[in-house]
Amino acid sequence: MISEPAVPLRATRLVEHAQLPTRAHPTDAGLDLYAAEAVTIAPAARALVGTGIALGLAPGTVGLVHPRSGLAARHGVTVLNAPGTVDAGYRGEVKVCLLNTDTRDSFTVAVGDRIAQLVIQRVELPDLQEVADADALGATDRSDRGHGSTGR
């Protein structure tokens, strides 16, 4: 399957020392996001860390901020609201809400550290249509069986 060419991702530095997102490898889905400020996160605490960049996402796309697996595995640091959402219309600074899940040790983020990864995806933007009742939603095999309904 051949996909459509990607629309370029526009980005600007809001502070001079900010690092633009980068890919470690050309085919990586995620772009690394870098800290533009130093922050120490106490055990079991969270911090909103600025990247010093703003993005110009194309309409019909979304930026999803995911944790970095290395930070999670080595230090217990993750993105609290993973994935964070950067809407196409947002033009402010991209910030990452980091959570230090370690209950004993603080974690220090230095300027220039990779703190998260950004994945850009196309999204559907349907109009919402209210229907009279659940029967009008359309029948499925699963129906209304919820959490744990598959027996796994």
Side-chain angles (χ1 to χ4, degrees):
M1 178 171 109
I2 298 174
S3 63
E4 299 175 35
V7 175
L9 174 60
R10 295 169 303 175
T12 189
R13 297 172 211 257
L14 301 174
V15 294
E16 189 175 323
H17 65 272
Q19 289 186 249
L20 295 178
T22 61
R23 280 188 178 82
H25 304 281
T27 59
D28 286 353
L31 293 145
D32 287 325
L33 292 175
Y34 299 87
E37 58 187 324
V39 176
T40 296
I41 309 170
R46 63 186 176 271
L48 195 57
V49 182
T51 64
I53 62 162
L55 301 173
L57 291 163
T61 66
V62 63
L64 300 175
V65 179
H66 291 270
R68 292 195 64 248
S69 57
L71 280 182
R74 287 190 287 280
H75 305 287
V77 174
T78 189
V79 175
L80 182 60
N81 59 324
T85 300
V86 181
D87 287 310
Y90 178 66
R91 295 297 185 263
E93 181 180 14
V94 174
K95 295 186 178 187
V96 179
C97 190
L98 292 178
L99 172 66
N100 180 5
T101 66
D102 194 296
T103 57
R104 292 176 310 205
D105 297 324
S106 294
F107 180 78
T108 298
V109 175
V111 172
D113 281 355
R114 294 178 297 165
I115 57 171
Q117 50 186 329
L118 177 71
V119 176
I120 308 300
Q121 290 188 323
R122 290 188 172 108
V123 294
E124 294 290 326
L125 301 171
D127 292 327
L128 181 65
Q129 179 184 27
E130 184 177 8
V131 294
D133 56 40
D135 290 336
L137 296 175
T140 67
D141 290 340
R142 184 174 181 181
S143 186
D144 62 354
R145 292 187 311 276
H147 298 283
S149 65
T150 62
R152 295 182 195 157

